[in-house]
Amino acid sequence: MPARRTLLKAIAAAPVLSALGVPSATAAPSATATVSSAPGIVKPVPPEYFTVRGTNAEARFETFEDTGPLTPVDRFFVRNHTSTPVLDAADWRLTVWGDGLHGRTPVHFTYGQLRDLPSVTRSALIECAGNGRSLYATQQGESVSGTPWTLGAIGAARWRGARLSDVLRLAGIASDAVDVQPRGLDAPYVAGGVDLGRVRRPLSVAKALDDVILAYEMNGEPLPYDHGHPVRLVVPHWVGIASVKWLGDIEVSRTPLASPWSTDYYRLFGAAHPPGGSAPLTRQTLKSAYELPFGATLEAGRTHRLEGRAWSAYAPVRRVDVSTDGGARWRPARLLGPTRHAPWVRWQTPWRPYGPGPVTLLSRVTDAAGNTQPERAVHNTQGYLFDAVVRHSVTVV
Ligand SMILES: Nc1nc2c(c(=O)[nH]1)N[C@H]1C(S)=C(S)[C@@H](COP(=O)(O)O)O[C@H]1N2
Ligand SMILES: [Mo]
């Protein structure tokens, strides 16, 4: 039974699951032990690689320096509204239902049936809409609500799975269907005492039929528990919330769908936006950053090789410019590796600092469509889509 074998492989690949009886792996650490777990997250999130923020674990962006184009699972950020459910692929079913199906009768897929469909493999980023959110406050002096991520609510992986378009066609999607709404199997999300139900968010049929994957593998291994085991959606280029984990069902509709994740959250609200908020967010934006801790110290009088990454959800990266004097002068960084199909691009630049003192390092990506990072991001109350040039303070000693 392929499903069972796959689950056993997943367990073998996750040593922490020797404690499978305790799904949340929240065994209280002793006073002196290093905390390497987070509430509701199964995998270890050691402090050298992660910062725990509530039910979430942010990757330390600077530690991407020793990773290649793909982010290993043990470095990949976790964003959980509640907690990771430990699901068995053998019992899993996907239900596709709604008035947007020809027969209007729900159609079910087992894990084995999904794996028997033609598979696609592609590298893609998952980036939270709020990645960089804390910079609205630290860099622009503006207050925003939400998890105060720095730059590590992002990771790139090689995803393998079935095409959502194949599944929707097999289920009999009608030609006048307009929206689909995938929903997770994790616990309902309660905010401010209100039960918002299980995580779900509509997606246009146009996007659903384009390049969305029902992923069951991440970097060549069965999808790990924290990243959606047994099956998650991967919606390339869109805000992370679109890539619903622990997928349980998909509604298909002839009329537009909505959820709190498309009405109250994941829209832009504030003075610069329409009174009822912007349209629901779809595409992510563009960013670049140094793989250095904020406040790093660098030795004067020797040449450092500064490294970073750049990415854009609009088009391939074309160039990265850097400034090592607070933005007075700019020069191009050297791009490493291919840019056309890479989810993000690594870059480097040599720098020989002179005297001691504080310095602000800047980087600015420009993509092939001509988009470039602005000096300031346009404020929105929930701090989404931070796209401004990051001001990276370091000290030369
Ligand atoms: N079912 C479900 N899907 C979810 C979430 C969740 O809490 N529950 N979080 C979303 C958000 S906000 C993000 S940014 C990504 C994070 O994916 P990761 O935890 O695999 O990095 O998953 C999305 N899919
Ligand atoms: Mo997110």
Side-chain angles (χ1 to χ4, degrees):
M1 235 170 98
R4 169 78 51 195
R5 265 209 312 276
T6 304
L7 181 72
L8 291 174
K9 256 198 283 173
I11 289 170
V16 68
L17 292 176
S18 54
L20 234 175
V22 190
S24 55
T26 49
S30 75
T32 52
T34 317
V35 178
S36 65
S37 63
I41 297 180
V42 171
K43 71 181 181 183
V45 286
E48 59 270 33
Y49 294 148
F50 293 98
T51 305
V52 174
R53 305 191 187 279
T55 55
N56 316 294
E58 174 173 358
R60 290 190 186 279
F61 192 86
E62 65 271 21
T63 72
F64 291 161
E65 190 181 27
D66 59 20
T67 69
L70 302 181
T71 312
V73 168
D74 63 6
R75 309 283 192 94
F76 209 100
F77 85 106
V78 178
R79 190 329 187 202
N80 279 354
H81 281 73
T82 59
S83 63
T84 296
V86 175
L87 304 177
D88 185 341
D91 312 328
W92 179 86
R93 295 280 179 286
L94 171 67
T95 303
V96 185
W97 60 281
D99 68 11
L101 297 185
H102 282 306
R104 302 197 178 202
T105 352
V107 179
H108 304 279
F109 294 84
T110 64
Y111 186 73
Q113 287 170 329
L114 201 74
R115 291 204 67 125
D116 283 344
L117 296 177
S119 74
V120 283
T121 304
R122 73 172 285 172
S123 300
L125 294 170
I126 301 281
E127 182 180 13
C128 187
N131 194 28
R133 175 181 284 129
S134 68
L135 282 75
Y136 279 103
T138 57
Q139 197 167 296
Q140 306 193 165
E142 295 166 331
S143 72
V144 292
S145 61
T147 305
W149 307 111
T150 55
L151 291 163
I154 188 167
R158 197 147 174 78
W159 309 96
R160 178 165 172 261
R163 288 186 184 87
L164 178 56
S165 60
D166 287 345
V167 165
L168 292 174
R169 288 196 180 103
L170 284 169
I173 188 171
S175 58
D176 58 349
V178 295
D179 273 354
V180 305
Q181 180 152 264
R183 180 164 56 167
L185 292 164
D186 40 339
Y189 179 58
V190 178
V194 181
D195 185 341
L196 302 179
R198 287 190 272 131
V199 170
R200 62 200 184 283
R201 190 168 194 265
L203 192 71
S204 64
V205 164
K207 180 66 174 175
L209 295 180
D210 180 14
D211 58 358
V212 178
I213 300 174
L214 297 169
Y216 43 71
E217 273 182 25
M218 178 178 184
N219 294 342
E221 295 292 329
L223 197 62
Y225 289 114
D226 296 306
H227 300 290
H229 185 87
V231 176
R232 83 175 300 167
L233 229 56
V234 172
V235 183
H237 309 304
W238 281 31
V239 287
I241 186 64
S243 293
V244 170
K245 304 193 278 188
W246 313 293
L247 184 63
D249 69 283
I250 303 176
E251 179 179 0
V252 184
S253 175
R254 293 176 201 243
T255 52
L257 295 172
S259 86
W261 289 270
S262 70
T263 56
D264 302 342
Y265 302 117
Y266 304 102
R267 283 182 185 237
L268 308 177
F269 295 99
H273 305 288
S278 71
L281 300 182
T282 56
R283 248 177 222 275
Q284 252 291 355
T285 183
L286 78 179
K287 288 186 183 70
S288 66
Y290 288 86
E291 293 163 341
L292 267 181
F294 284 101
T297 51
L298 291 127
E299 214 180 301
R302 73 177 194 84
T303 302
H304 299 269
R305 192 185 58 193
L306 302 179
E307 297 188 321
R309 285 180 194 243
W311 59 101
S312 168
Y314 304 108
V317 166
R318 192 174 63 200
R319 58 182 296 149
V320 175
D321 295 287
V322 294
S323 168
T324 47
D325 60 4
R329 283 166 305 164
W330 293 81
R331 60 181 187 274
R334 187 159 83 87
L335 304 186
L336 309 175
T339 59
R340 271 204 69 68
H341 298 290
W344 51 7
V345 174
R346 289 176 290 159
W347 50 263
Q348 59 176 229
T349 191
W351 181 43
R352 191 179 171 88
Y354 298 113
V359 175
T360 303
L361 306 176
L362 309 176
S363 64
R364 184 173 60 212
V365 61
T366 303
D367 70 21
N371 300 295
T372 193
Q373 293 179 267
E375 252 175 65
R376 271 184 88 87
V378 177
H379 177 258
N380 63 93
T381 57
Q382 295 174 102
Y384 296 128
L385 301 186
F386 187 87
D387 60 356
V389 169
V390 174
R391 303 185 63 85
H392 200 121
S393 304
V394 300
T395 306
V396 177
V397 292

